[in-house]
Amino acid sequence: QVQVVESGGGLVQPGGSLRLSCVASGSIFRIYDMSWYRQAPGKQRELVVAVIWTGGTKYAESVKGRFNISRDNAKNTLYLQMNSLKLEDTAVYYCNVRLGSSWSLSNYWGQGTQVTVSS
């Protein structure tokens, strides 16, 4: 069993900052990548940032320069520092963890954490 738990969401004013955390626990045999996705009301889920554990990071164009990813390998934890937040960043943010190798991956999702940007 693998558990993925997000935390850190909340209500923030435009221009403010939030830091999200994602912890993967349980039968973690090999992390391939960890990613943050978000889904706004009435919209499809979209990739915010993906981190390949052996190297490589991909940010969505809409968050480049504002969001920053970091991680704690020993704790299987991924952090998302969100700065200069905009109204359009309002969404439920989900953490995704993929275990294994590129030719065989197991996919796990967290329950999501709400981020609301509002004045």
Side-chain angles (χ1 to χ4, degrees):
Q1 290 281 1
V2 175
Q3 296 79 42
V4 180
V5 179
E6 306 100 332
S7 62
L11 173 65
V12 64
Q13 292 185 339
S17 298
L18 279 176
R19 188 192 194 207
L20 305 184
S21 299
C22 170
V23 180
S25 61
S27 301
I28 307 294
F29 55 96
R30 178 177 175 172
I31 295 177
Y32 177 77
D33 63 15
M34 292 180 73
S35 305
W36 284 100
Y37 286 75
R38 66 186 181 186
Q39 188 166 18
K43 295 188 177 181
Q44 289 189 332
R45 191 171 297 189
E46 63 175 1
L47 177 68
V48 176
V49 58
V51 180
I52 298 176
W53 229 237
T54 56
T57 304
K58 177 182 178 181
Y59 288 90
E61 286 296 325
S62 60
V63 306
K64 280 184 179 179
R66 301 188 297 122
F67 290 11
N68 187 56
I69 201 78
S70 61
R71 71 194 206 194
D72 185 330
N73 292 351
K75 297 180 179 180
N76 295 327
T77 300
L78 190 69
Y79 303 99
L80 181 64
Q81 178 66 42
M82 305 186 295
N83 301 318
S84 302
L85 283 161
K86 303 176 180 180
L87 296 176
E88 53 264 40
D89 293 318
T90 295
V92 178
Y93 283 70
Y94 296 93
C95 183
N96 175 263
V97 178
R98 297 196 294 177
L99 304 180
S101 302
S102 58
W103 58 87
S104 179
L105 294 170
S106 300
N107 200 30
Y108 301 90
W109 290 93
Q111 79 289 349
T113 185
Q114 177 70 48
V115 172
T116 302
V117 184
S118 175
S119 55

